[in-house]
Amino acid sequence: MRGAGGADLGREAGDVLGQAVDQAPGGLRRSTVGAGQGEEEVRESGSSHARHLDVRSRGGRFDPVWCVTFHQRGDLRDVRCYGRIMSKAEIDQLTAEFFGAFDNRDGRGADVARLRRLMLPQGVIVSTAPAFTVYSVEEFIEPRERLLAPEGRLVGFSEWETSERTEIEGDVASRFGEYRKYGLFDGKPYEGVGTKTIQFVRTPEGWRITAFSWHDRA
């Protein structure tokens, strides 16, 4: 799979699927399957047990929907699906990198420039408070690089998600999350909570952010 941490995510999905097969009723045998173009179906049968494993990928991109149907002596015993495992894991990682872009604790400057890698160049950024403001990627990055530099006005700063809900449909995804932040602004404690929404699209290079907006609460 392409994108950050792709090999690890592939192994993770494979491990989860393998555990499900190993734990199936009736001691079903395990086999290894890779996702290819379009759809493929693999069937494995024993003398009294059968396993059906459907692996679906969209456009050849490695984003399978893992569905394992366990049969024992002809009777349906269990169905377990691991849909969108790999997309969700990649989006979680991308979101963690996004929040990490503003971290300047331990005296280091924040790596705000990484947003150029995490976002599409035409991405849109919106703040709803204290004033409604729309930024391009470059308009957003430049002042925050100064603000979060080692000699900037906001130091010891970080922000992190406290909850999130992510919905994925094909090659698009949306994340709605709550977050907290803390730092020192001009030497005084600066903290708050708020809500961020992040929109994603899957590109040939992996998932990228197309837009995000946030609303800080007092």
Side-chain angles (χ1 to χ4, degrees):
M1 184 180 69
R2 292 170 292 221
D8 291 338
L9 297 180
R11 284 192 293 271
E12 177 184 344
D15 289 345
V16 172
L17 181 63
Q19 291 168 9
V21 174
D22 288 341
Q23 296 166 4
L28 303 179
R29 293 183 291 124
R30 177 179 178 179
S31 65
T32 302
V33 180
Q37 301 285 334
E39 294 189 6
E40 58 179 310
E41 180 177 342
V42 176
R43 299 192 178 194
E44 178 183 331
S45 299
S47 58
S48 59
H49 307 97
R51 177 169 68 84
H52 303 281
L53 169 60
D54 294 330
V55 183
R56 300 185 180 90
S57 61
R58 186 180 298 272
R61 296 169 182 165
F62 197 62
D63 181 32
V65 176
W66 301 99
C67 290
V68 184
T69 306
F70 300 112
H71 292 262
Q72 185 174 21
R73 295 182 177 84
D75 297 326
L76 179 64
R77 296 288 179 163
D78 195 10
V79 179
R80 305 178 192 177
C81 290
Y82 302 90
R84 303 179 176 89
I85 287 176
M86 303 179 74
S87 288
K88 180 57 164 60
E90 190 174 356
I91 288 171
D92 285 345
Q93 181 172 324
L94 179 57
T95 303
E97 286 195 72
F98 167 80
F99 276 94
F102 308 102
D103 191 327
N104 71 350
R105 291 172 294 178
D106 302 325
R108 65 178 186 270
D111 184 19
V112 188
R114 78 170 63 166
L115 295 180
R116 296 186 179 98
R117 172 174 56 85
L118 303 179
M119 298 188 68
L120 295 184
Q122 305 85 357
V124 177
I125 301 162
V126 179
S127 171
T128 63
F132 184 86
T133 310
V134 180
Y135 305 89
S136 68
V137 175
E138 294 302 321
E139 289 170 340
F140 181 81
I141 289 175
E142 193 262 339
R144 284 159 182 81
E145 285 185 314
R146 295 196 306 269
L147 178 68
L148 294 166
E151 67 281 1
R153 299 179 66 188
L154 181 56
V155 298
F157 180 78
S158 66
E159 60 180 25
W160 61 96
E161 278 190 324
T162 57
S163 66
E164 60 86 16
R165 182 179 72 253
T166 302
E167 296 184 3
I168 304 170
E169 185 57 47
D171 292 335
V172 297
S174 179
R175 190 178 186 103
F176 191 92
E178 302 295 309
Y179 70 94
R180 298 188 65 88
K181 58 184 178 181
Y182 179 82
L184 295 174
F185 186 75
D186 288 342
K188 299 178 181 179
Y190 170 76
E191 58 185 314
V193 298
T195 302
K196 272 192 172 71
T197 64
I198 309 176
Q199 309 302 313
F200 305 86
V201 65
R202 181 165 40 195
T203 75
E205 290 73 39
W207 288 94
R208 296 293 184 269
I209 296 170
T210 61
F212 69 88
S213 59
W214 78 95
H215 176 76
D216 285 336
R217 297 193 296 277

